[in-house]
């Protein structure tokens, strides 16, 4: 049976463009500015002009940020219920204007109308409904938090309106105001949404939209009046933003590229897996960051699977995106079309192109490439088009190895009828989202985001809202603590004692062969400590990776060991208190007791920091699992030599991470005494590694190390900027103090905030039923 055309009418969208004379200014402070310095936005399917859009300048960015800044205090003072009413109004208006928004989205982006109408727009409304609920509940459920201020949202062209909703809804719900920069290719639905926000009565300045190109986005990111940046786009730009914002104190979430594996086991429902794959890679023409673009098929069914897949490819319909019978629409722009073409033409392998008519214009045919190696460019690099690459595997272990053989970690798909196999594989995949026997499942209640070079942070759910909040109250500036200088005549008592580094469960001499003396305030030589260097960091990271089986131990076992560490420290409490007093001149008993109590706290949390089953609209479950980050490096506080070290180490290992700790620089001997406790507490070798040395010297090799997954800094040395800048190398997570002090004895120096930093939320979608 052949399909006839079923075109969607676009008269209303054309009328809307005509009413605006096909020329648009920016939306600032609740009104549109006069159009100025225009560029064209085109229909990618036809190449015809849709409208002319204003090119944002530094002045327009200034105006938008100033408007947002003026509006923010009043918006934040509204009750949660008042903000919820506005978000509810936006959700209802999106539904009322859904067909117009969908048609305009398809005209501007080139995606099939079925996708914009049936997938994008319902999700947009869902996000505003869901966040209306979060706005209502947050004041009670998240006490002690406050909005960040002015949020800059920079969004891509593949899901223009949906990405707007993902960023605007949580920002407004939390009490922030927003300046949004839509993609250069697809600004129209954002401008229509600005009109809708006016209909909803949203106060002027709460939402501002500045259109433009990459320079406009860069000006917004760099603006000193912005407190938070939420960016979705390429990994290259994400790295540039991480470097540009280093040391500024701006909050940052990045949702970047992906090369997502689509794993098919030999017991899978092959026909369903083929159909799911069509959605995974040819949805939105493959222009999806989480597209299932790497097919991994078990050898026994590979030939049959590929044959069925090619037959399905040949049946795909390509053409006018406004035709409701079309499966694959246009590529967003000739520039993107050229990029796809060049990547495929330069690739080796066997290429199969769908045997289906290809219209003239900005279209690319669905393509399958086999015969590549794991290191081939197209197996590693994001194509962002309707191109699928495929390899085979023999065993589940090999499937996991191939799936994780990428610098990305956004999403993954697993197809098997064996639920035991599915739930065994899902936690082993380095991805923020795993779909079991399905693909491209999204919902506002379920956090979405990646690991590795796919970025950090989550969008959706409570975890997404927390990215737009910070602890309420103000902190003081941290006061650097100098190392006690050598006296003219040192008091030397007893035999020489040199504390070594602690790497892989063993005491180790520093690679450089240097050490430094540690004096008491009264001039007594207390001992020497090694001066660690880059090679010592390398050795410590290798030891931490060798101990990553710690993350697979039970939470109960981790809790027992933390209790045991506390028990052994308690037995030596007087000794630790005396050491603290010798280094600082202050009575150390309170700090020792606080450190023991903190070990108990994280022993208690080890098996109680629960995940969640999210209420998503499917017959199935979306499991939000708290997983360890991996290897965490931490520059420990100077002012609390023992308590600060415990407060950083304990949450990290309680959640299953391994760590590399750089202890207090002026008072390091408490840490070197502490590893003697670790030696006798059944902690596996390499779970905790301690490298003494100067924070300013060790911050760069830690932050730049490609095998470290997160870096924390509570140092009194000014190292926050260098950590954030160097972390861009592999987009590791950072948590730094920006020179602000923390009271390590206070209740907010333990608990959920630390546990959230020690974990990644992985969302595993498991539909069920026939």
């Amino acid at each position: 049976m052949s399909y006839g055309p079923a075109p969607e009418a676009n008269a209303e969208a054309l009328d809307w463009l005509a009413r605006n004379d096909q020329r648009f200014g920016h939306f600032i402070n609740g009104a549109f500015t006069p159009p100025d310095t225009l560029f064209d936005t085109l229909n990618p399917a036809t190449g015809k002009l849709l409208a002319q859009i204003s090119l944002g300048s530094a002045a327009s960015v200034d105006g938008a940020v100033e408007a947002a800044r003026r509006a923010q205090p009043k918006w934040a003072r509204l009750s949660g219920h008042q903000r919820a009413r506005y978000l509810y109004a936006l959700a209802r208006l999106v539904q009322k204007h859904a067909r117009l928004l969908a048609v305009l989205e398809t005209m501007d982006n080139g995606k099939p109308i079925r996708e914009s109408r049936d997938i994008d727009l319902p999700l947009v409304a869902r996000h505003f409904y869901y966040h209306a609920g979060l706005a209502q509940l947050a004041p009670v459920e998240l006490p002690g938090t406050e909005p960040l201020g002015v949020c800059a949202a920079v969004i891509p062209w593949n899901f223009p309106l949906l990405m707007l909703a993902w960023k605007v809804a949580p920002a407004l719900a939390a009490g922030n105001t927003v300046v949004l920069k839509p993609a250069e290719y697809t600004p129209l639905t954002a401008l229509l949404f600005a009109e809708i926000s006016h209909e909803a009565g949203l106060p002027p300045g709460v939402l501002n939209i500045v259109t433009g190109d990459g320079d406009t986005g860069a000006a917004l990111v760099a603006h000193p009046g912005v407190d938070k940046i939420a960016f979705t786009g390429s990994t290259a730009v994400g790295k540039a933003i991480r470097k540009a914002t280093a040391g500024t104190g701006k909050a940052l979430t990045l949702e970047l590229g992906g090369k997502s594996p689509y794993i098919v086991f030999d017991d899978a429902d092959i026909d369903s897996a083929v159909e799911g794959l069509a959605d995974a890679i040819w949805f939105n023409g493959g222009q999806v960051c989480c597209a299932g673009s790497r097919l991994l098929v078990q050898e026994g069914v590979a030939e049959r699977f590929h044959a069925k897949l090619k037959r399905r490819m040949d049946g795909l319909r390509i053409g006018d995106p406004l035709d409701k019978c079309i499966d694959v629409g246009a590529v967003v722009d000739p520039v993107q079309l050229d990029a796809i073409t060049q990547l495929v033409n330069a690739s080796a392998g066997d290429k199969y192109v769908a045997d289906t008519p290809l219209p003239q214009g900005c279209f690319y045919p669905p393509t399958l490439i086999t015969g590549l190696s794991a290191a081939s460019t197209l197996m590693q690099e994001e194509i962002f088009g309707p191109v699928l690459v495929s390899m085979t595997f023999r065993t589940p272990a090999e499937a996991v190895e191939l799936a994780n053989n990428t610098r990305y970690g956004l999403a993954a798909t697993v197809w098997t009828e064996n639920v035991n196999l599915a739930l065994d594989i899902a936690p082993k995949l380095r991805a923020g989202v795993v779909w079991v026997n399905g693909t491209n499942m999204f919902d506002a209640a379920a956090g979405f985001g990646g690991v590795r070079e796919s970025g950090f942070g989550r969008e959706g759910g409570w975890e997404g809202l927390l990215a737009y909040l910070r602890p309420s109250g103000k902190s003081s500036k941290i006061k650097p603590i100098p190392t006690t200088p050598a006296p003219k005549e040192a008091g030397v008592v007893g035999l020489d004692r040199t504390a070594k580094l602690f790497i892989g469960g063993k005491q180790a001499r520093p690679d450089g062969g240097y050490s430094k003396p540690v004096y008491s305030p009264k001039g007594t030589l207390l001992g020497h400590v090694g001066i660690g260097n880059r090679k010592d960091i390398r050795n410590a990271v290798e030891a931490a990776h060798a101990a990553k089986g710690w993350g697979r131990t039970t939470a109960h076992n981790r809790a027992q060991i933390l209790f045991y560490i506390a028990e052994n420290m308690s037995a030596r409490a007087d000794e630790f208190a005396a050491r603290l007093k010798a280094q600082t001149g202050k009575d150390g008993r309170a700090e020792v007791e606080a450190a023991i109590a903190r070990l108990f706290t994280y022993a208690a949390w080890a098996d109680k920091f629960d995940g969640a089953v999210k209420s998503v609209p499917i017959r199935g479950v979306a499991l939000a699992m708290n997983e360890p980050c991996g290897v965490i490096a931490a520059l420990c506080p100077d002012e609390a030599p023992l308590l600060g070290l415990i407060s950083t180490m304990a949450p990290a290992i309680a959640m299953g991470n391994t760590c590399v700790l750089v202890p207090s620089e002026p008072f390091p001997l408490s840490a070197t005494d502490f590893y003697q406790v670790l030696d006798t507490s059944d902690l596996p070798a390499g779970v905790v590694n301690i490298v003494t040395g100067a924070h300013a010297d060790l911050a760069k090799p830690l932050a730049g190390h490609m095998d470290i997954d997160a870096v924390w800094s509570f140092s009194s040395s000014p190292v926050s900027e260098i950590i954030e800048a160097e972390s861009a190398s592999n987009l590791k997570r950072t948590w730094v103090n920006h020179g602000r002090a923390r009271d390590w004895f206070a209740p907010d120096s333990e608990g959920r905030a630390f546990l959230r930093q020690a974990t990644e939320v992985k969302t595993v979608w498991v539909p069920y039923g026939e």
Side-chain angles (χ1 to χ4, degrees):
M1 181 182 293
S2 61
Y3 286 84
E8 174 74 34
N10 63 354
E12 289 81 1
L14 293 174
D15 286 346
W16 178 77
L17 292 170
R19 288 198 305 272
N20 288 280
D21 297 324
Q22 295 179 274
R23 301 169 79 246
F24 291 90
H26 311 293
F27 185 73
I28 297 175
N29 202 34
F32 281 97
T33 64
D36 183 33
T37 314
L38 299 170
F39 66 94
D40 296 342
T41 184
L42 309 175
N43 184 328
T46 65
K48 292 181 179 179
L49 176 71
L50 292 173
Q52 292 185 305
I53 310 298
S54 293
L55 181 65
S57 63
S60 51
V61 170
D62 281 343
V65 173
E66 288 169 9
R69 178 62 62 195
R70 287 194 303 271
Q72 198 274 326
K74 187 175 181 181
W75 179 251
R77 284 195 297 270
L78 294 180
S79 69
H81 173 65
Q82 289 171 311
R83 288 197 296 273
R85 291 173 68 96
Y86 284 110
L87 287 158
Y88 173 77
L90 288 169
R92 291 291 291 124
L93 285 164
V94 165
Q95 289 180 316
K96 291 176 183 178
H97 295 292
R99 187 57 64 93
L100 174 59
L101 286 162
V103 171
L104 192 63
E105 191 84 316
T106 287
M107 292 170 64
D108 204 19
N109 169 274
K111 65 174 62 185
I113 184 65
R114 289 189 300 110
E115 295 177 5
S116 55
R117 181 195 65 197
D118 299 342
I119 299 173
D120 292 15
L121 261 298
L123 274 172
V124 171
R126 164 71 172 149
H127 272 267
F128 282 103
Y129 274 122
Y130 180 81
H131 285 92
L134 288 188
Q136 181 83 20
L137 298 176
V140 173
E141 296 299 317
L142 298 174
T145 60
E146 63 184 20
L148 294 166
V150 175
C151 297
V154 181
I155 60 174
W157 43 259
N158 55 343
F159 293 94
L161 190 60
L162 184 56
M163 292 298 101
L164 177 152
W166 280 22
K167 289 169 171 55
V168 170
L172 299 189
N176 304 281
T177 53
V178 177
V179 180
L180 177 107
K181 206 291 283 184
E184 181 180 1
Y185 296 146
T186 54
L188 292 179
T189 47
L191 296 169
L192 176 53
F193 184 83
E195 285 191 10
I196 290 172
S197 73
H198 190 69
E199 290 181 34
L202 200 67
V206 172
L207 173 66
N208 306 272
I209 296 174
V210 178
T211 52
D213 58 9
D215 290 340
T216 309
L220 179 58
V221 166
H223 199 286
V226 166
D227 302 295
K228 152 89 180 188
I229 297 161
F231 172 78
T232 296
S234 73
T235 294
V237 175
K239 288 184 176 183
I241 291 174
R242 171 71 285 180
K243 289 181 179 178
T245 57
T248 62
K250 294 177 181 178
L252 180 63
T253 53
L254 299 173
E255 196 263 281
L256 308 175
K259 193 70 180 177
S260 300
Y262 190 98
I263 306 169
V264 180
F265 287 95
D266 57 8
D267 68 339
D269 180 336
I270 299 300
D271 291 325
S272 294
V274 168
E275 196 59 32
L277 183 55
D279 285 336
I281 183 58
W282 292 303
F283 172 60
N284 201 14
Q287 299 168 112
V288 183
C289 51
C290 55
S293 56
R294 273 193 307 148
L295 171 62
L296 305 175
V297 191
Q298 199 155 15
E299 269 188 10
V301 295
E303 185 176 349
R304 181 158 62 100
F305 188 92
H306 285 140
K308 285 178 175 284
L309 176 61
K310 290 173 183 177
R311 188 160 61 249
R312 182 68 179 92
M313 291 170 64
D314 292 343
L316 292 170
R317 298 175 298 279
I318 308 170
D320 179 8
L322 283 174
D323 185 341
K324 292 185 280 288
C325 290
I326 289 301
D327 297 308
V328 181
V331 175
V332 72
D333 190 84
V335 170
Q336 181 64 17
L337 180 64
D338 288 344
I340 298 167
T341 304
Q342 290 175 22
L343 278 168
V344 174
N345 289 347
S347 175
D350 300 318
K351 299 167 188 173
Y352 182 84
V353 178
D355 185 14
T356 185
L358 188 69
Q360 291 293 317
C362 205
F363 295 88
Y364 196 87
T367 301
L368 169 66
I369 305 176
T370 56
L372 299 176
S373 71
S376 298
T377 299
L378 293 194
M379 290 297 298
Q380 294 292 328
E381 295 302 322
E382 188 175 33
I383 302 168
F384 225 65
V387 181
L388 176 68
V389 294
S390 180
M391 289 182 65
T392 61
F393 65 89
R394 294 182 178 179
T395 66
E398 185 184 4
V400 171
E401 186 176 355
L402 288 171
N404 290 338
N405 183 20
T406 173
R407 61 194 176 105
Y408 298 109
L410 188 54
T413 302
V414 177
W415 281 85
T416 173
E417 291 297 288
N418 184 338
V419 67
N420 184 56
L421 178 61
L423 296 181
D424 175 57
I425 295 296
K428 296 176 181 177
L429 299 174
R430 292 301 307 273
V433 179
V434 179
W435 295 301
V436 175
N437 293 339
T439 192
N440 284 337
M441 289 179 276
F442 307 99
D443 187 65
F448 181 87
V451 297
R452 295 178 168 178
E453 293 192 25
S454 289
F456 47 78
R458 295 292 180 266
E459 295 184 293
W462 285 101
E463 56 268 41
L465 186 70
L466 285 165
Y468 290 89
L469 294 164
R470 65 184 172 200
S472 53
K474 293 187 178 180
S475 59
S476 60
K477 243 183 141 178
I478 200 165
K479 296 179 180 179
I481 301 175
T483 299
T484 304
K488 291 182 180 179
E489 294 185 13
V492 180
V493 180
L495 296 174
D496 171 68
R497 180 179 182 276
T498 301
K500 299 182 179 67
L501 313 182
F502 185 65
I503 297 175
K506 299 177 181 178
Q507 298 183 36
R509 297 182 186 279
D511 173 81
Y514 290 97
S515 60
K516 70 171 187 177
V518 180
Y519 293 98
S520 75
K522 294 182 178 180
T524 302
L525 179 63
L526 301 176
H528 289 76
V529 293
I531 301 176
N533 64 16
R534 177 179 56 83
K535 290 185 178 179
D536 297 311
I537 294 298
R538 178 199 65 191
N539 295 339
V541 173
E542 288 178 358
H545 270 278
K548 288 182 77 172
W550 174 250
R552 295 189 293 272
T553 61
T554 67
H556 171 66
N557 185 49
R558 295 196 297 270
Q560 283 186 297
I561 289 176
L562 281 161
F563 278 129
Y564 195 20
I565 294 170
E567 177 188 336
N568 287 334
M569 176 176 279
S570 181
R572 298 174 58 180
D574 291 342
E575 178 186 338
F576 275 97
R579 176 67 85 180
L580 285 168
K581 185 172 184 180
Q583 292 175 100
T584 66
K586 301 175 183 177
D587 191 323
R589 286 174 292 185
E591 183 170 343
V592 173
E593 286 305 313
I596 293 169
R598 198 138 290 171
L599 286 164
F600 265 67
T601 293
Y602 289 111
W605 269 118
D607 57 1
K608 298 175 187 66
F609 190 55
D610 299 325
V613 176
K614 297 302 184 100
S615 298
V616 294
I618 65 167
R619 188 162 187 268
V621 293
L623 307 172
M625 302 168 62
N626 293 319
E627 294 191 333
C629 294
V631 176
I632 296 177
L635 298 170
C636 299
D638 290 329
E639 65 273 23
L642 181 64
L643 178 59
L645 179 105
I646 299 284
S647 297
T648 52
M649 176 206 77
I653 67 173
M655 294 297 101
N657 301 280
T658 58
C659 56
V660 177
L661 306 176
V662 180
S664 169
E665 190 173 337
F667 312 124
L669 294 177
S670 293
T672 56
D673 289 349
F674 179 67
Y675 65 59
Q676 298 169 19
V677 172
L678 298 180
D679 257 342
T680 60
S681 301
D682 294 342
L683 187 72
V687 173
V688 175
N689 304 275
I690 298 173
V691 178
T692 52
H695 290 189
D697 294 338
L698 297 178
K700 185 173 182 178
L702 283 172
H705 200 295
M706 298 295 283
D707 283 334
I708 288 176
D709 300 291
V711 178
W712 302 351
S713 176
F714 305 107
S715 175
S716 59
S717 299
V719 294
S720 294
E721 181 175 356
I722 194 168
I723 287 172
E724 291 185 332
E726 291 295 317
S727 72
S729 60
N730 67 343
L731 288 171
K732 59 176 66 68
R733 284 173 54 177
T734 60
W735 189 27
V736 297
N737 61 5
H738 294 292
R740 311 306 295 181
R742 177 185 287 272
D743 179 359
W744 290 97
F745 289 86
D748 62 359
S749 286
E750 66 178 8
R752 289 184 180 274
F754 285 77
L755 297 167
R756 285 194 291 264
Q757 292 291 340
T759 53
E760 296 279 10
V761 176
K762 173 182 280 184
T763 305
V764 180
W765 292 73
V766 187
Y768 46 71
E770 294 297 326

